[in-house]
Amino acid sequence: MVALLGDSMLGFDFVAILFAAWLASWTISTGFSSAVLVPEFWSNHNRAALAGAVLGPFILRDPAFVACVRDCRTLSLIGGHLARFPMFVVIVIGLGVLSGFLYGVSMNWLLPWFANALVITSLGRCLLAVTLQRLERDGIIVETVAVVGAGPVADRLIRRLRDALGDNVLIVGVFDDRFGRSQNCANSPTGSVAELIDLGKSRSLDWILITLPDSAEARLSSIVQRLKVLAVPVGLCPQSVGLVSAYPGMADRSSTHRFRTLSGHLSRRGIPVEVSPRQQRSPVGELELTLDNHDLGSFLQLAAGFGQDTYGYVVTPNADHLLRLHREPAFQMLYAEAAYVLLDSRFIAHLLRLTRGLRLPTCLGSDLTAALFDRVIKPDDRLVLIGGSSEQARRLTVRYGLKHLVHFNPPMGFIRTPAAVEACLQFIEAQSPFRYCLLAVGCPQQEMVAQQLKLRGRTRGLALCIGASINFLTGEERRAPLWLQRCGMEWLFRLVNSPRRLAKRYLVQGPKLFAVLRRTGIRLRAAR
């Protein structure tokens, strides 16, 4: 995981250098006049910025990044970067002089560009290194394993795990109630089963592996019963050291994806793993994501002709949704019931194209919502808006001349109150048939409401789960510049504008996407 995120610095440097160029242009333009950034000023320097953004990631790439992060040598990491940056400056200036792309570029712009690029790329490396070190220390990006039952079997198991997974596995200890019988072993007991239970309540565990023989049925059953207080998958390791099925009834559905992660590592490293029938039926492990083969243009035509004779709902998976799909089986059911699944992430599309050669169409929810209002929705159409404020509904009504827009804003956290959910569903059903129902109450609430409408069967029309799209339409939030959107880096713009609200999503949860994508199959469904 750390190595994969280290490689992602190539993309970060590309965006950082372009952003530094934009920042230099903005600084100069606002310094010489009170106007905002003038597009012509940027166009005079875009060749230099683009050349630097293409060259920079390869010149600034640090082969020792992973080693520095794992050894907590952040200062060495930054020192190496500072040593390579002058090389980047010399190469860019040299090629610029030889090729002529620096012609007309003033030093008043060039120096701030290089200075901004140095600061941004240095801070990015420092932040990523510190974040990765904390995540590794907390056991979030490594598999955390506890072993029950000390002895030769436990020794062999631990040795095989470390050989197979290396730094990706953390053995928190061996736990055994019979200390006196476990003295002649390489891995002495760390504590008792009771202490393991206390540990599991205070920190995250991905797996508990029991090395007791099958013949110790009474003791095995007793231990499993005691471990039921922890929502942690349990594996049974026989004397052959071949991992077999998770003990029936112990694998909590919310954490079975961790079992799959560990078993996938082991299987690829030659350690056989059998999965119980219950877990083979579980949709949490190697996930297959079905996407509809629609871009914005083709789906806009479909939505325009959907009609009001039937009901269907649209979901738009992004990186956050993909993580949730692997984490929550219930969320998978919401996607399975959807009529249309449209990829809402250019970043994922670019990543899959680079890593797998897949060319996937994208239909961003924000673009779709705006296009529907601009090109499809007519003033006389019946529309339902769930979520957003009354002021936002009024702005939409005035801007598009809508005559039949009805609005309902459920209370915060309504999805946890059956009465509030029922009130929301009844409000929507009372407006049926409608042309479009815009669900803007956030994920997964909006998908839950959409599914319930389908299951109840009283609604006609097309429902769209649109998230924060209404905020963009009504001007409460700004979207990233078009070039940033096309690069798949709109998330960076949103992070810069709302760091406190989005830092956890993009900097803590976001890096998990790289590992999750490796365990995600993509199936493109023919356009319907």
Side-chain angles (χ1 to χ4, degrees):
M1 170 66 83
V2 176
L4 188 61
L5 290 175
D7 292 338
S8 70
M9 290 303 298
L10 293 173
F12 172 79
D13 286 340
F14 179 85
V15 175
I17 293 170
L18 285 179
F19 180 71
W22 178 87
L23 191 59
S25 300
W26 179 83
T27 303
I28 294 176
S29 65
T30 54
F32 287 103
S33 69
S34 60
V36 296
L37 175 60
V38 182
E40 290 74 19
F41 186 87
W42 164 253
S43 65
N44 292 334
H45 302 81
N46 59 1
R47 292 176 60 194
L50 185 59
V54 171
L55 293 172
F58 301 98
I59 300 172
L60 301 177
R61 183 177 181 274
D62 186 359
F65 179 86
V66 175
C68 289
V69 169
R70 284 184 169 155
D71 295 341
C72 297
R73 292 187 285 117
T74 306
L75 292 179
S76 298
L77 178 68
I78 300 302
H81 178 64
L82 295 177
R84 278 184 297 277
F85 198 85
M87 185 188 308
F88 163 70
V89 174
V90 171
I91 292 176
V92 169
I93 293 177
L95 289 177
V97 172
L98 293 175
S99 63
F101 67 70
L102 286 182
Y103 177 76
V105 176
S106 68
M107 293 298 292
N108 288 333
W109 179 85
L110 200 61
L111 291 178
W113 175 39
F114 285 136
N116 292 337
L118 176 60
V119 172
I120 295 171
T121 53
S122 298
L123 288 177
R125 280 161 171 76
C126 186
L127 180 62
L128 181 59
V130 172
T131 301
L132 288 175
Q133 288 164 6
R134 182 176 62 83
L135 293 178
E136 277 201 328
R137 187 167 57 248
D138 293 343
I140 296 176
I141 58 175
V142 294
E143 297 290 351
T144 307
V145 178
V147 178
V148 175
V153 178
D155 293 340
R156 293 199 302 270
L157 172 63
I158 292 173
R159 184 166 58 250
R160 291 292 298 276
L161 286 173
R162 286 173 173 163
D163 289 343
L165 305 181
D167 294 335
N168 292 321
V169 64
L170 173 65
I171 308 296
V172 297
V174 179
F175 299 86
D176 198 318
D177 290 333
R178 303 185 178 186
F179 289 90
R181 302 184 185 184
S182 308
Q183 294 177 350
N184 298 322
C185 53
N187 296 277
S188 300
T190 308
S192 64
V193 175
E195 290 174 302
L196 169 60
I197 293 172
D198 291 338
L199 178 66
K201 293 177 180 179
S202 62
R203 67 163 298 165
S204 173
L205 295 176
D206 293 321
W207 196 253
I208 297 176
L209 303 178
I210 301 178
T211 61
L212 302 178
D214 293 338
S215 57
E217 183 176 349
R219 186 180 174 206
L220 182 61
S221 177
S222 173
I223 291 175
V224 169
Q225 289 297 323
R226 295 169 65 188
L227 292 175
K228 282 186 177 180
V229 298
L230 302 177
V232 179
V234 175
L236 176 63
C237 175
Q239 306 304 298
S240 62
V241 199
L243 293 179
V244 297
S245 64
Y247 202 87
M250 278 302 298
D252 178 73
R253 294 189 70 191
S254 67
S255 56
T256 48
H257 70 287
R258 296 170 176 168
F259 167 81
R260 293 286 190 158
T261 303
L262 179 58
S263 64
H265 279 306
L266 297 177
S267 298
R268 287 191 292 271
R269 297 301 197 277
I271 301 179
V273 178
E274 278 183 37
V275 185
S276 67
R278 175 185 175 184
Q279 287 174 319
Q280 286 177 338
R281 292 193 299 268
S282 172
V284 180
E286 299 295 333
L287 178 73
E288 181 178 80
L289 176 63
T290 298
L291 299 171
D292 286 289
N293 191 15
H294 285 293
D295 58 13
L296 177 60
S298 65
F299 188 76
L300 205 59
Q301 293 180 5
L302 188 152
F306 186 83
Q308 301 176 30
D309 297 328
T310 186
Y311 173 78
Y313 67 92
V314 182
V315 294
T316 53
N318 55 26
D320 182 61
H321 290 203
L322 190 56
L323 293 173
R324 192 182 292 271
L325 283 167
H326 276 265
R327 190 170 65 238
E328 301 174 11
F331 192 64
Q332 296 176 25
M333 298 305 297
L334 304 180
Y335 264 59
E337 297 283 349
Y340 301 100
V341 182
L342 310 174
L343 183 59
D344 186 25
S345 173
R346 289 193 179 100
F347 181 80
I348 291 179
H350 292 328
L351 197 58
L352 289 174
R353 182 175 178 180
L354 289 173
T355 57
R356 301 190 198 176
L358 297 177
R359 294 178 178 268
L360 300 177
T362 58
C363 183
L364 275 64
S366 300
D367 292 340
L368 175 60
T369 305
L372 283 174
F373 275 98
D374 290 336
R375 292 187 258 169
V376 176
I377 294 174
K378 299 179 177 60
D380 290 328
D381 286 338
R382 190 168 187 80
L383 305 177
V384 182
L385 174 62
I386 304 299
S389 65
S390 299
E391 175 62 21
Q392 287 179 309
R394 187 194 67 80
R395 290 180 189 175
L396 289 175
T397 300
V398 173
R399 177 176 176 181
Y400 297 101
L402 304 174
K403 299 178 182 178
H404 303 292
L405 172 66
V406 292
H407 172 243
F408 180 80
N409 187 23
M412 184 71 68
F414 78 101
I415 206 68
R416 295 188 294 271
T417 307
V421 173
E422 181 64 25
C424 180
L425 294 174
Q426 288 185 7
F427 178 87
I428 298 172
E429 290 167 346
Q431 316 306 320
S432 177
F434 46 75
R435 189 166 193 191
Y436 301 116
C437 175
L438 307 176
L439 300 171
V441 289
C443 175
Q445 292 82 210
Q446 57 197 18
E447 289 80 9
M448 291 179 179
V449 170
Q451 184 202 38
Q452 284 299 310
L453 291 171
K454 179 178 180 179
L455 295 178
R456 289 158 69 110
R458 306 171 191 169
T459 311
R460 299 293 180 268
L462 184 63
L464 300 101
C465 301
I466 63 171
S469 299
I470 294 299
N471 293 343
F472 299 128
L473 272 182
T474 56
E476 294 199 4
E477 288 187 42
R478 289 191 305 120
R479 293 196 68 183
L482 191 59
W483 64 271
L484 258 185
Q485 295 181 37
R486 290 173 176 171
C487 291
M489 292 296 172
E490 188 168 7
W491 63 270
L492 182 62
F493 181 85
R494 297 190 68 193
L495 175 62
V496 171
N497 281 276
S498 303
R500 295 184 63 180
R501 182 169 64 90
L502 298 174
K504 182 177 180 180
R505 176 189 296 184
Y506 291 135
L507 300 181
V508 178
Q509 300 294 336
K512 298 178 183 178
L513 174 68
F514 296 96
V516 162
L517 275 180
R518 297 176 60 189
R519 299 185 286 116
T520 304
I522 303 295
R523 183 171 74 90
L524 200 58
R525 186 163 55 191
R528 298 171 290 157

